[in-house]
Amino acid sequence: MVALLAPLVLLLALGRPAISGAQATEGAAAAPHRRFEYKYSFKGPHLVQADGTVPFWVHTGNAIPSADQIRITTSLKSQKGSVWTKTKSIFQYWDVEVTFRVTGRGRIGADGLAIWFTEEQGLEGPVFGAADKWNGVGIFFDSFDNDAKKNNPGVVVVGNNGKLLYDHQNDGSTQALASCQRDFRNKPYPVRVKITYYQKTLTVLINNGFTPDKEDYEFCAKVEDMVLPSQGYFGVSAATGGLADDHDVLSFLTFQLTEPGKEAPTPDAEIPQKDKEKYQEEFEHFQQELDKKKEEFQREHPDVQGQPGNYYGGAWIENKMNDWKCAADDVFETVSDRELRQIFEGQNRIHLEIKQLNRQLDMILDEQRKYVSAVTEEIAKRGAGFPGQQGQVFQQEIETVVKTQEEVIRQVKEIRNSVTDALRSISGAQHAGSAGVYETTQHFNDIKEHLHVVKRDIEHLVQRNTPSSEKQKCPELPPFPSCLSTMHFFIFVAVQTVLFIGYVMYRSQQEAAAKKFF
Ligand SMILES: [Ca+2]
Ligand SMILES: [Ca+2]
């Protein structure tokens, strides 16, 4: 089994350069520095404070924060709610990971959920529970099909400079910068969306809630050359209409992205002096409380006094024992456990690689679509405009498009090769189940092949030694010794014959004499 895993790993290793090559072309520059921003994030299990507020966030309308999620709207008619960061972000590039659920008993739900990055908080309004004429971007998870084009639930990215009124009747399709059709309602696992704004490109990736795998993202939409306010509020809003869904946000995690080479401001410098003092005061207060509690506990339980950290006596020791036991279990694993783990890890890697390829293919397809639509538009424009001026400029554009297409085809080929490799390795892994039979067959095949090689070599040698039709002559025999002539030979034979006959007669006489005694 382990022997079978070796080629699998080798195949994976071989498949890798093509992928990393594709990655390199995809994200021309090196990966950005990524830092978690707690002030623009929330996550369970202790999401809400005692007073019902979410630290660093404000909520409005029908939004209800609880310990592990914020219910932006409940599944009642005509609800509106939203949550917004209290302060503006001070970083240019970011990515946010939002986990949410949209659930309802109806086959169709309404209206949907929106994720925002805007110059001002859109606390209340008609666009999925938030204000219209926003300056920034909204990513809309639109459940209800207002324009009856059968393309909902869907995801639409709409940018706004603060002047545009949202086109609700057409589900924003007239204003969409990018979109994709995804059903995000009533999924077994929470839906995850990852929105990245980096180097003026906004990318939306979605995990459709079919797997619990957190990194299982699919490509949804990409907007290039997008200019967003350099500072803004993050927010989530939702609304219901005649139909209703529960819109629950489980987590909102924000990361600051810094281009390589540019220094991210240190977290310490960002905290104002006033806040620092407040936190220090709070910390000291908690410290005093803790000391007080410790003293009380020791007064009430004088029998468990002893080593520092031993406040919980027996329970502590028991926990420690369990820890050691777990550690021992971790250290030892059986051979089959290890093999299973290796297979599992191998499969996981293949799965991830294929996902990655899939994502890249989606991106390429998206670009292709853009080129095709650009070319079509251009042709239409030229056709309608001045046919006399079609000349050189048009020719150049066509050439550029053709070159780009060739590049795309080359990349697709590379990806196809690595997919083939990956598939081959998968089939290798699947055969691992019937390892015994497979191994034996393989062994015999190897032997057969070797025999063929040997046979071929011999034939080759034979052919080389007889280059033309001339046949190899046997070496000449040495001259026969002349000491024995024909005459001598016959005499010798005659003497032998006489002696043999004499012996036979003598034997028969002996036997006859012996028989007389019985
Ligand atoms: Ca709609
Ligand atoms: Ca629609």
Side-chain angles (χ1 to χ4, degrees):
M1 193 85 78
V2 178
L4 273 170
L5 280 168
L8 188 81
V9 172
L10 188 72
L11 270 170
L12 278 173
L14 284 172
R16 200 160 269 286
I19 293 157
S20 54
Q23 271 174 338
T25 49
E26 176 204 325
H33 176 74
R34 196 163 180 259
R35 198 185 79 187
F36 178 61
E37 295 291 340
Y38 68 96
K39 275 195 182 180
Y40 308 94
S41 306
F42 63 78
K43 187 183 194 304
H46 305 293
L47 201 151
V48 76
Q49 286 174 318
D51 60 356
T53 60
V54 182
F56 306 114
W57 291 73
V58 284
H59 65 275
T60 63
N62 304 110
I64 310 165
S66 62
D68 49 7
Q69 65 176 38
I70 302 176
R71 177 153 287 183
I72 314 282
T73 70
T74 48
S75 47
L76 295 170
K77 283 182 184 177
S78 307
Q79 300 271 303
K80 276 176 191 171
S82 64
V83 279
W84 294 89
T85 54
K86 272 184 186 164
T87 55
K88 275 189 182 184
S89 71
I90 51 155
F91 34 88
Q92 190 184 6
Y93 296 129
W94 41 263
D95 80 42
V96 293
E97 293 176 14
V98 188
T99 315
F100 65 85
R101 278 179 192 277
V102 178
T103 39
R105 281 193 293 173
R107 199 173 53 81
I108 303 169
D111 270 324
L113 180 133
I115 299 169
W116 299 94
F117 177 77
T118 54
E119 201 175 25
E120 299 300 329
Q121 295 167 321
L123 294 173
E124 249 196 280
V127 187
F128 300 99
D132 208 335
K133 291 188 178 180
W134 66 95
N135 183 9
V137 66
I139 294 99
F140 304 150
F141 295 82
D142 191 345
S143 306
F144 189 76
D145 195 6
N146 294 68
D147 59 358
K149 284 190 177 163
K150 295 191 171 125
N151 54 1
N152 292 81
V155 187
V156 185
V157 181
V158 181
N160 198 338
N161 56 3
K163 290 172 186 155
L164 201 73
L165 267 171
Y166 178 61
D167 183 5
H168 220 304
Q169 290 317 308
N170 290 308
D171 294 321
S173 58
T174 53
Q175 304 159 334
L177 298 173
S179 63
C180 73
Q181 215 174 320
R182 290 281 188 288
D183 189 0
F184 46 80
R185 294 180 68 243
N186 296 329
K187 288 288 172 276
Y189 297 96
V191 174
R192 288 169 185 277
V193 54
K194 185 170 180 163
I195 304 159
T196 309
Y197 180 60
Y198 184 61
Q199 292 177 333
K200 292 190 179 161
T201 301
L202 186 99
T203 319
V204 182
L205 304 178
I206 291 178
N207 174 338
N208 222 12
F210 281 117
T211 62
D213 184 357
K214 289 180 183 175
E215 291 304 315
D216 196 5
Y217 285 110
E218 282 170 21
F219 175 77
C220 166
K222 187 173 171 183
V223 185
E224 278 167 349
D225 296 322
M226 186 164 203
V227 181
L228 291 180
S230 55
Q231 304 191 350
Y233 295 92
F234 292 101
V236 186
S237 70
T240 64
L243 297 169
D245 277 331
D246 284 324
H247 294 93
D248 300 326
V249 181
L250 284 72
S251 68
F252 193 111
L253 306 177
T254 302
F255 297 85
Q256 175 182 176
L257 300 180
T258 319
E259 287 168 302
K262 284 189 185 173
E263 273 301 303
T266 55
D268 222 30
E270 276 174 32
I271 304 170
Q273 193 58 32
K274 215 174 93 188
D275 281 2
K276 252 190 226 175
E277 281 166 12
K278 204 179 99 193
Y279 294 140
Q280 190 61 33
E281 205 176 290
E282 250 174 56
F283 175 73
E284 276 163 16
H285 175 72
F286 275 118
Q287 193 72 38
Q288 282 167 4
E289 285 276 304
L290 186 68
D291 286 343
K292 225 184 281 173
K293 286 266 159 67
K294 272 187 203 169
E295 274 171 28
E296 268 174 35
F297 184 83
Q298 287 187 354
R299 257 204 309 277
E300 284 166 22
H301 305 83
D303 50 323
V304 289
Q305 279 185 2
Q307 296 292 319
N310 197 6
Y311 302 119
Y312 306 102
W316 182 84
I317 291 167
E318 202 175 300
N319 281 343
K320 214 65 193 158
M321 292 284 279
N322 280 338
D323 285 353
W324 288 333
K325 225 175 111 194
C326 289
D329 286 347
D330 284 347
V331 170
F332 300 108
E333 69 176 354
T334 62
V335 176
S336 58
D337 278 353
R338 192 179 311 131
E339 280 177 1
L340 273 176
R341 183 173 54 76
Q342 280 168 333
I343 291 170
F344 181 71
E345 282 170 5
Q347 293 271 23
N348 255 1
R349 270 174 64 187
I350 293 167
H351 179 78
L352 283 179
E353 306 255 316
I354 288 176
K355 279 277 158 196
Q356 178 92 22
L357 287 172
N358 200 12
R359 209 178 303 154
Q360 280 165 2
L361 273 176
D362 279 347
M363 283 182 182
I364 290 168
L365 270 179
D366 192 54
E367 299 228 323
Q368 284 265 40
R369 225 172 284 142
K370 272 182 199 161
Y371 286 131
V372 168
S373 64
V375 168
T376 323
E377 262 175 40
E378 193 63 31
I379 288 169
K381 221 187 282 171
R382 302 273 165 174
F386 312 96
Q389 290 182 359
Q390 276 184 6
Q392 221 177 347
V393 183
F394 187 57
Q395 188 63 30
Q396 275 177 358
E397 277 171 12
I398 292 275
E399 271 171 25
T400 324
V401 170
V402 166
K403 266 183 202 159
T404 329
Q405 291 278 16
E406 276 169 3
E407 176 66 17
V408 168
I409 286 166
R410 196 182 57 76
Q411 285 189 8
V412 169
K413 269 183 190 165
E414 269 179 24
I415 289 168
R416 196 183 57 189
N417 285 347
S418 43
V419 167
T420 318
D421 282 349
L423 282 178
R424 209 179 304 146
S425 51
I426 285 181
S427 61
Q430 280 167 351
H431 277 283
S434 55
V437 180
Y438 176 78
E439 221 164 345
T440 320
T441 320
Q442 185 68 26
H443 190 61
F444 278 119
N445 283 344
D446 282 352
I447 291 172
K448 215 164 133 189
E449 211 167 290
H450 276 293
L451 281 176
H452 270 294
V453 171
V454 171
K455 201 175 149 194
R456 217 177 311 137
D457 283 351
I458 289 171
E459 275 168 7
H460 183 65
L461 275 173
V462 167
Q463 274 176 4
R464 205 169 53 180
N465 286 339
T466 57
S468 63
S469 57
E470 177 193 333
K471 283 207 170 175
Q472 184 83 28
K473 278 178 187 166
C474 290
E476 280 182 22
L477 287 169
F480 205 72
S482 55
C483 53
L484 185 72
S485 71
T486 322
M487 194 60 190
H488 281 108
F489 177 70
F490 279 122
I491 291 168
F492 179 72
V493 169
V495 171
Q496 284 277 333
T497 314
V498 170
L499 279 173
F500 181 69
I501 291 166
Y503 172 72
V504 169
M505 283 172 71
Y506 170 74
R507 263 309 280 273
S508 59
Q509 272 175 2
Q510 286 280 313
E511 274 171 21
K515 273 179 192 167
K516 281 178 190 167
F517 292 105
F518 296 103

